[in-house]
Amino acid sequence: MTVTDALARPLRDLRISVTDRCNFRCVYCMPREVFGRDYEFLERAELLTFEEIERLARIFVGDHGVSKIRLTGGEPLVRREVERLVEMLARIPGLGDLAMTTNGSALARKARALGDAGLRRITVSLDSLDNEVFAAVNDVGFPVERVLAGIEAAAAAGLGPIKINMVVKRGVNEDSVVSMARYFRGSGHIVRFIEYMDVGHSNGWRMDEVVPAAEIVAMIGAEMPLEPVAPNYPGEVVERWRYGDGIGEIGVIASVTRPFCGGCTRARLSAEGKLFTCLFAVAGHDLRALLRSGASDAEISAAIGGIWRMREDRYSELRTAATAGLPKVEMSYIGG
Ligand code: SAM
Ligand code: SF4
Ligand code: SF4
């Protein structure tokens, strides 16, 4: 049932990208200069169908010990009828957790249907409460209020407590850190501050634009004292901190300054059916070709097992000049 990789890490989580498209152009993910009018997104026929995704998901869960699935993208809510996929996945026996990461733009409209379909949890990305700063990040002028309305709708649909992801980029939204913490403190929702990462090639990443998690904790702690909380489980990616007065907590994801490859149990399936064993992988393994060539479940399962057993990725730990020149794939394609 469990398959472990070359570094003895089991396969536990599967992130499924349901589309490479998005209605935002976040500067750290899909900058407009690269993802402009002429950008060639995947054609519909290239995307895995819901039936193909479900078939793979059943194999990952049934044969390889995956207990958590997260739908992502691109923006998962721009894939038509994604709630139908949620419903199909929610029925898979043995799947403990089914979640989604979204920019929240369509959530006010979709939250109820997602909850009814069996989604358990949702993470909403929001990079500032200030409309000007948020617009400078999403680059489509999307207003904060509509994302907040989406968060409320998700909570009302039983998808809470909600995790709110904020990517912090120096010179762009670091001044929004404390106000985000303050706003959601006591709301029951948990803000997770994420270090800006060097995924893909298009965001022009530079180390000096990363605001280290330690600095984020210090900024918030100076105003609202924080104390560390033990992880929920070993290898948890997020480092938890709670307010000294017991009113809520925050998380920081220090993928750059304190990498966590040693506990990384995550595989990613791109929208066109390529399996990636690391967010920074150079190439994926084509499961769609297998699916569409008439392979049996047993053959697909054996291929997945073989790919995981060979896995030795630990990019973040090796993030050095030696790897800096390698080609990588974009986060909007592979799924965040
Ligand atoms: N569109 C959805 C959203 O924004 O939530 C799902 C896909 S997005 C790629 C998943 C997560 O990755 C988001 O929380 C986003 O902020 C984060 N992300 C994207 N690019 C990043 C980068 N360069 N560094 C750190 N996090 C990033
Ligand atoms: Fe779209 Fe999410 Fe990337 Fe922003 S982070 S461009 S919302 S996929
Ligand atoms: Fe996992 Fe790769 Fe990220 Fe390391 S760099 S934590 S192996 S996805």
Side-chain angles (χ1 to χ4, degrees):
M1 271 290 278
T2 325
V3 55
T4 48
D5 70 8
L7 302 175
R9 297 168 297 188
L11 173 53
R12 291 269 176 258
D13 320 74
L14 179 64
R15 297 208 160 196
I16 302 176
S17 171
V18 295
T19 178
D20 59 337
R21 292 170 200 255
C22 185
N23 55 332
F24 284 14
R25 285 292 174 273
C26 301
V27 290
Y28 51 71
C29 180
M30 295 178 76
R32 196 176 278 289
E33 311 83 80
V34 179
F35 294 86
R37 266 180 204 292
D38 305 335
Y39 188 83
E40 288 184 25
F41 289 99
L42 296 170
E43 297 290 339
R44 196 166 173 86
E46 293 177 283
L47 300 180
L48 291 187
T49 63
F50 289 168
E51 287 69 25
E52 287 172 329
I53 293 175
E54 185 206 21
R55 183 170 172 213
L56 290 177
R58 278 187 188 273
I59 294 171
F60 273 97
V61 174
D63 294 358
H64 298 300
V66 163
S67 58
K68 281 192 199 174
I69 290 183
R70 178 173 292 274
L71 298 178
T72 177
E75 171 47 41
L77 295 180
V78 306
R79 175 98 185 236
R80 237 185 303 150
E81 292 184 2
V82 72
E83 55 278 15
R84 192 165 70 79
L85 175 64
V86 169
E87 205 176 329
M88 290 161 74
L89 297 177
R91 282 199 293 259
I92 296 178
L95 181 62
D97 195 10
L98 181 57
M100 178 181 280
T101 303
T102 170
N103 63 24
S105 59
L107 202 50
R109 200 160 35 85
K110 292 268 193 176
R112 177 67 55 191
L114 291 168
D116 289 348
L119 193 70
R120 305 263 183 90
R121 295 186 302 132
I122 201 150
T123 299
V124 180
S125 303
L126 178 59
D127 293 325
S128 181
L129 291 167
D130 178 312
N131 266 317
E132 223 168 285
V133 178
F134 187 43
V137 177
N138 67 53
D139 208 14
V140 293
F142 200 87
V144 171
E145 294 70 29
R146 285 179 58 195
V147 180
L148 294 178
I151 292 170
E152 289 320 308
L159 296 170
I162 292 157
K163 301 224 173 87
I164 295 156
N165 277 0
M166 171 174 174
V167 175
V168 188
K169 188 172 175 191
R170 192 168 311 276
V172 176
N173 64 342
E174 70 204 285
D175 292 344
S176 300
V177 165
V178 176
S179 51
M180 280 283 280
R182 201 185 298 117
Y183 182 87
F184 286 104
R185 181 172 131 86
S187 68
H189 309 317
I190 300 173
V191 187
R192 294 151 10 131
F193 299 90
I194 304 176
E195 288 179 351
Y196 169 46
M197 288 188 291
D198 51 337
V199 265
H201 275 300
S202 52
N203 63 15
W205 183 89
R206 294 203 325 254
M207 186 64 204
D208 61 6
E209 292 170 330
V210 177
V211 181
E215 191 178 323
I216 294 170
V217 170
M219 268 194 267
I220 300 169
E223 233 178 83
M224 298 168 278
L226 288 165
E227 52 195 46
V229 185
N232 282 318
Y233 50 88
E236 192 177 28
V237 165
V238 61
E239 295 169 23
R240 300 168 58 203
W241 294 82
R242 85 175 142 233
Y243 294 109
D245 58 10
I247 305 178
E249 67 176 75
I250 60 153
V252 287
I253 302 182
S255 6
V256 178
T257 59
R258 285 195 291 268
F260 33 76
C261 302
C264 180
T265 57
R266 195 170 280 178
R268 293 178 156 84
L269 184 64
S270 78
E272 59 174 337
K274 294 221 168 92
L275 181 64
F276 288 84
T277 54
C278 176
L279 185 52
F280 299 91
V282 176
H285 305 265
D286 192 356
L287 298 184
R288 189 187 66 192
L290 263 182
L291 283 166
R292 295 188 183 174
S293 69
S296 67
D297 282 3
E299 284 164 336
I300 296 172
S301 180
I304 293 170
I307 292 164
W308 192 263
R309 274 189 285 275
M310 301 281 292
R311 175 186 192 243
E312 21 179 45
D313 307 277
R314 48 192 194 98
Y315 178 89
S316 288
E317 288 181 352
L318 301 171
R319 190 183 269 107
T320 60
T323 51
L326 288 175
K328 295 174 288 186
V329 293
E330 300 298 336
M331 189 137 167
S332 53
Y333 164 81
I334 195 176

